[in-house]
Amino acid sequence: MLEKIGRNDPCWCGSGKKYKQCHEAFDEKLADFKSRGFQVPSRKLIKTPADIEGIKESAKINMACLDNVAKEIRAGMSTEEINKIVHETTISMGGIPAPLNYEGYPKSVCTSINNVVCHGIPSDDEILQDGDIVNVDCSTLYNGYFSDSSRMYMIGDVEEKHKKLVETVKLSIEAGLKEVKPWKCLGDMGHAVHMFCKERGYSVVRDIGGHGIGKEFHEDPWVSFVSKPGTEMLMVPGLCFTIEPMVNLGKADVFQDADDGWTIYTDDDSYSAQWEVQLVVTEDGYELLCW
């Protein structure tokens, strides 16, 4: 149950405004949707303007890391060198690499090559080869706020079918963004991503998805990219989450490395690609915060 607030009391969001001038109508609308069976976010998931500014500052570091990787990435480079670029960029700008020591993860970034879907661990022994596609997934903590995004990089002469996979996944995010509108459901967005990829012959990973983010690395909601319209959490102004579909050239089935407990591979050894953006829902759509 939501704490009852008087209309003339300070709003729960911390704006300093009276509740009746700030979130009263918002809460009433949310309660109406909940009464009709919709899944609605709790107050702690709604980001204030101050929160959004904090996330943007964190995102500046996160995107600088990926920009710096783009300048250096090449065939013959180890994935540990990528880790070093991300770590040093983050620290030099006053941030903290969010993945480092998160639930035991040993590095500052994830590097996922070819048939690795996600959570690949950088290593001195893993060397980028001509024709590889690699996802670099970077997350930053700065002044109490988290940012998160990933990009694909194509190394040297990449096969056309793998180029097309990389490009399609990026375009699928754009298809999903068109469905990010206040008072619609996350399932509308996930369905748009899924259908965009499926219609082009690709499969979308079912068991791993996006997530809420901002004051914590991973918050509710969990975000599916194989969802149905009208399902999942209601997208409301202030809700912040990632869109990060993992799309396979072959089947959607994946498995986790039994030795390191992190790396996720395609079950059929097919190539996989992923892009990730972080956004906040606004009164008239969305605002990208990190990409």
Side-chain angles (χ1 to χ4, degrees), residues 187-247:
D188 300 337
M189 178 279 298
H191 180 73
V193 171
H194 187 202
M195 294 310 297
F196 187 91
C197 296
K198 184 179 179 180
E199 288 167 359
R200 287 156 180 78
Y202 304 108
S203 62
V204 180
V205 174
R206 300 180 294 267
D207 301 327
I208 311 169
H211 54 92
I213 183 172
K215 294 181 179 179
E216 297 180 19
F217 193 177
H218 294 92
E219 302 173 350
D220 287 335
W222 185 77
V223 181
S224 170
F225 302 107
V226 292
S227 47
K228 297 184 183 301
T231 66
E232 311 295 334
M233 186 175 283
L234 202 67
M235 295 182 286
V236 303
L239 185 67
C240 184
F241 60 91
T242 66
I243 299 180
E244 48 177 313
M246 298 161 213
V247 182

Side-chain angles (χ1 to χ4, degrees), residues 4-18:
K4 185 68 175 177
I5 301 175
R7 299 187 71 234
N8 290 311
D9 290 341
C11 187
W12 55 262
C13 74
S15 65
K17 297 179 182 179
K18 292 180 179 181

Side-chain angles (χ1 to χ4, degrees), residues 133-191:
I133 62 172
V134 55
N135 177 268
V136 179
D137 191 347
C138 189
S139 311
T140 302
L141 172 61
Y142 179 72
N143 285 346
Y145 290 102
F146 288 89
S147 56
D148 193 5
S149 59
S150 79
R151 300 177 192 170
M152 293 296 300
Y153 301 89
M154 294 186 281
I155 310 302
D157 187 17
V158 174
E159 285 189 51
E160 192 60 36
K161 64 181 178 180
H162 298 147
K163 284 183 181 178
K164 188 176 178 182
L165 171 65
V166 169
E167 293 163 357
T168 298
V169 181
K170 190 173 186 180
L171 290 172
S172 77
I173 291 181
E174 295 181 16
L177 286 170
K178 291 178 182 177
E179 298 301 320
V180 178
K181 299 173 184 177
W183 311 106
K184 291 188 68 175
C185 293
L186 272 168
D188 300 337
M189 178 279 298
H191 180 73

